[in-house]
Amino acid sequence: MAAEAYDRFMGRYSAPLAQLFSDLAGVEPGQTVLDVGCGPGALTNELVKRLGAESVSAVDPSRSFVAATRERYPGVRVELAGAEQLPYPDRTFDVTLAQLVVHHMADPVAGLTEMARVTRRNGIVAACVWDHAGDHGPLRLFWTAARQLDPGIDDESLLAGTSRGHLAELFRSVGLGAVEDSILTIAVEHPSFEDWWEPFTFGVGPAGGYLTSLDPERQNRIRQRCREMIPTVPFVVEAWAWAARGVVSA
């Protein structure tokens, strides 16, 4: 259920993002690639399409996500591990990727250091994170409504990599070279308000966890405020992700 709930909540945005992110990283046939923090496999799916399962490895600290990714993508080597302690020798992969993960790392510097360690010399390390600190994250409508009712909430805006340029700063701090930062933009149409709203009630991620921690009356107040902010349907959610790409030079 955890994998299906995540698919409904964030997968609707992370799947189209995976295509753009893979292009940014220069993923192409013949490479070996590691998907760090794979979740239930949004990026893994794109990598398997491009490279074949035998060229893709993945890790995640969630047992349920590891199980789901193993089931969905036979042939992909999926390990239970966090970014800060990757279970691979030095210089194992051509490309190491972290899609929508850096801001959830317990120690982003340690996680990116490990990503660089397991990547071959002149290989690519890349990461992307939603623009939660700005006005273009996919959850901005929800967090705007929630802040209007509770200005002191933790709305993900202070997490690592969620603001312009921060991912690139982190990349440079761990010694990656030729660092470039970019904006990846996706657009997802929702046919109805309920199609957009229901996944928030699954308790997934900080937004879902915040909503489900509230009593029914306060949940309904946020729901109604969100509905007021969406005057017509269908509607499109456009979202930015900050992305950085660097080269392992030592």
Side-chain angles (χ1 to χ4, degrees):
M1 176 59 184
E4 288 73 18
Y6 184 89
D7 288 341
R8 289 279 310 281
F9 181 58
M10 289 308 299
R12 51 190 174 172
Y13 307 121
S14 57
L17 179 66
Q19 301 174 34
L20 302 177
F21 184 46
S22 297
D23 288 342
L24 174 79
V27 175
E28 58 185 16
Q31 295 173 329
T32 57
V33 179
L34 174 63
D35 181 359
V36 176
C38 63
L43 177 60
T44 311
N45 178 61
E46 182 65 22
L47 297 176
V48 168
K49 288 179 180 178
R50 295 183 182 216
L51 306 175
E54 68 283 354
S55 298
V56 180
S57 297
V59 299
D60 198 274
S62 164
R63 292 185 183 277
S64 63
F65 285 165
V66 167
T69 303
R70 285 174 176 167
E71 181 179 356
R72 291 175 174 184
Y73 308 105
V76 174
R77 179 184 174 188
V78 189
E79 304 288 348
L80 181 69
E84 296 84 357
Q85 291 185 305
L86 296 174
Y88 305 103
D90 295 356
R91 315 308 180 200
T92 300
F93 302 98
D94 297 314
V95 182
T96 302
L97 305 176
Q99 175 171 294
L100 309 177
V101 175
V102 171
H103 58 315
H104 293 309
M105 292 180 184
D107 185 338
V109 170
L112 291 172
T113 298
E114 275 287 272
M115 289 174 64
R117 178 186 66 78
V118 302
T119 307
R120 66 169 175 81
R121 289 178 176 83
N122 298 317
I124 298 297
V125 173
C128 62
V129 175
W130 293 123
D131 177 39
H132 291 311
D135 295 327
H136 297 89
L139 308 182
R140 66 187 180 278
L141 179 64
F142 174 85
W143 284 125
T144 297
R147 282 196 305 270
Q148 290 176 0
L149 301 174
D150 183 1
I153 60 172
D154 179 2
D155 59 2
E156 303 183 76
S157 62
L158 300 180
L159 297 177
T162 61
S163 59
R164 181 187 295 270
H166 191 221
L167 269 180
E169 290 178 19
L170 290 171
F171 271 45
R172 295 187 183 99
S173 76
V174 303
L176 289 164
V179 175
E180 303 173 0
D181 56 356
S182 306
I183 300 173
L184 304 177
T185 304
I186 60 104
V188 176
E189 182 175 278
H190 296 276
S192 68
F193 175 81
E194 290 303 330
D195 171 80
W196 173 83
W197 172 259
E198 185 186 21
F200 284 94
T201 68
F202 299 160
V204 175
Y210 172 74
L211 181 68
T212 55
S213 74
L214 303 177
D215 61 61
E217 180 181 352
R218 294 178 70 193
Q219 289 186 30
N220 190 56
R221 289 175 63 194
I222 292 178
R223 180 180 181 277
Q224 288 303 115
R225 184 68 191 108
C226 287
R227 184 183 283 278
E228 292 167 3
M229 296 167 67
I230 302 173
T232 60
V233 292
F235 66 99
V236 174
V237 171
E238 295 185 352
W240 292 1
W242 304 116
R245 165 186 162 137
V247 177
V248 177
S249 56

